[in-house]
Amino acid sequence: MPQQQVSACPPWEKVAEAITFVPDRYSHKTQPESVAREMLHCDAADVDRLVDAGLPHEDRDGVRYFDPNDLYNLGMYSQRSNTQPELAFRMLFRFAGRPLDDLLRPKTWSFRVRLECHECAGAAPWRLEGPDVVRYGGRLEEITPLAPSEGSAEYAATVTNTGARTPLVSPTLRTLTRDYLNAGYRWHMIPVPMQADYPLVHELGVTSCIAASLLLAERFRAAGYRAEAKRGWFTGVLGGALDLPHACVEVTDDDGLTKTVDIAKAQLAARLSANTEQFQELCLGSLYNKVIPSTASGNASFGRHECGSPQPALVRADIRSVR
């Protein structure tokens, strides 16, 4: 039966035709062919077919290298059910069809972040756009602050966040949100610098959490509402082993409350099944406890080192549930 399912899937050439590959100026081809075969659960002949169908690559010392975002998107839309992206996606959203009460209760997380400066010019203070949960009824405790240093530093805290049902009440905001969801943009894994170029992303017919939030916030403001795209973290992925930055829109609704529109998660959940409808609605204005908001704006870096390096700090999060 598994072999019959795979054979009924579209050929890799058709999958490649449906994918929007990362443009050269944003692409970083870092994954060797061995990783591509492992991610896509395919063989060398399949990789040849993908390359012939247009999958961008670089040849270095006789080895082909690929952009990890292109590989992820190929796997996610392959319809094979056995690629790493498809398996990760199903695991990531396994909560979306469950009762919502678990997403609305207070939840405590062990939050650790490592910052690295790869062009370090010496010891200096660090700046982190950290968890921003207190204004939403959460708590920050047991904080280990960043200390001036050279090269790297670590921040830690115990973070408690919570959910709240606060659906959008403005007919205008709801219409703009539904119009976006119905526009047919296809979710892709996209490099963060490219996501900030949200006009290009949407011109290509695709979307992502940051790009979607930046565009939706712009449309909310054009309609007369105070709105801003904000970054944060989606928590508890692979037991905390996967750093997964996220973005939402914060908008002041007609009732005077600040609402959170998690447009990308609503879009992704809709790909699963009809039993995620309650979660999709929760994403349109309400809070849920698997997202930790930060103080960073939608297209800003989470951290920097004040050593004089022109590059933003590399920020890796490890977020684990405290039971």
Side-chain angles (χ1 to χ4, degrees):
M1 184 65 178
Q3 183 61 39
Q4 293 175 352
Q5 289 176 343
V6 171
S7 63
C9 294
W12 280 114
E13 292 89 345
K14 290 295 184 181
V15 179
E17 287 178 9
I19 296 300
T20 299
F21 296 119
V22 177
D24 285 344
R25 67 179 180 272
Y26 291 113
S27 179
H28 294 281
K29 298 173 180 66
T30 60
Q31 301 303 311
E33 184 172 331
S34 59
V35 172
R37 294 198 302 266
E38 184 178 358
M39 282 185 66
L40 301 180
H41 204 75
C42 68
D43 58 26
D46 292 323
V47 176
D48 290 340
R49 294 166 68 189
L50 285 167
V51 169
D52 290 342
L55 173 60
H57 68 285
E58 290 179 0
D59 289 306
R60 299 199 292 271
D61 298 324
V63 177
R64 292 183 291 196
Y65 287 82
F66 304 92
D67 187 292
N69 299 280
D70 290 338
L71 299 178
Y72 189 97
N73 295 327
L74 284 167
M76 185 170 176
Y77 290 103
S78 70
Q79 301 180 42
R80 280 158 171 74
S81 301
N82 62 357
T83 68
Q84 287 183 1
E86 289 171 294
L87 295 172
F89 180 78
R90 287 201 297 270
M91 183 193 67
L92 180 63
F93 274 89
R94 65 190 185 280
F95 70 90
R98 296 175 181 173
L100 296 184
D101 288 347
D102 284 346
L103 297 175
L104 297 173
R105 62 181 177 85
K107 180 72 175 175
T108 301
W109 306 92
S110 170
F111 181 91
R112 296 181 179 275
V113 165
R114 180 176 177 84
L115 295 90
E116 298 177 355
C117 180
H118 289 172
E119 296 185 12
C120 194
W126 298 82
R127 296 288 179 263
L128 173 68
E129 300 289 351
D132 188 22
V133 297
V134 174
R135 65 192 177 104
Y136 288 112
R139 299 191 308 275
L140 276 178
E141 301 169 300
E142 301 174 339
I143 298 173
T144 302
L146 292 164
S149 63
E150 179 178 358
S152 65
E154 292 189 358
Y155 169 95
T158 299
V159 179
T160 300
N161 61 347
T162 190
R165 290 182 186 270
T166 53
L168 293 173
V169 298
S170 162
T172 299
L173 293 177
R174 294 192 71 86
T175 296
L176 289 170
T177 301
R178 289 296 178 188
D179 286 348
Y180 186 92
L181 290 172
N182 293 332
Y185 297 117
R186 199 178 202 200
W187 190 91
H188 268 32
M189 185 74 80
I190 297 172
V192 170
M194 181 179 167
Q195 292 193 53
D197 191 357
Y198 63 96
L200 170 65
V201 172
H202 289 92
E203 179 183 329
L204 294 172
V206 298
T207 188
S208 64
C209 65
I210 294 175
S213 297
L214 289 168
L215 179 57
L216 195 60
E218 180 182 274
R219 291 179 177 176
F220 286 169
R221 290 192 297 269
Y225 289 85
R226 186 169 61 189
E228 182 182 10
K230 298 295 290 287
R231 293 188 73 182
W233 293 270
F234 190 70
T235 59
V237 182
L238 293 179
L242 178 61
D243 174 20
L244 199 61
H246 187 47
C248 304
V249 180
E250 293 183 358
V251 59
T252 304
D253 204 347
D254 287 350
D255 57 7
L257 298 178
T258 298
K259 309 290 179 66
T260 298
V261 179
D262 193 345
I263 192 73
K265 286 295 183 287
Q267 183 184 41
L268 284 169
R271 294 192 66 239
L272 291 177
S273 63
N275 71 342
T276 66
E277 288 181 351
Q278 287 187 328
F279 174 74
Q280 293 175 50
E281 178 61 29
L282 194 71
C283 291
L284 307 185
S286 300
L287 298 172
Y288 62 101
N289 61 20
K290 287 188 70 65
V291 171
I292 295 178
S294 83
T295 55
S297 62
N299 56 359
S301 171
F302 280 121
R304 69 181 189 275
H305 191 211
E306 297 188 348
C307 67
S309 169
Q311 300 298 324
L314 178 65
V315 179
R316 300 187 185 279
D318 187 328
I319 307 170
R320 301 176 186 268
S321 175
V322 175
R323 300 187 182 278

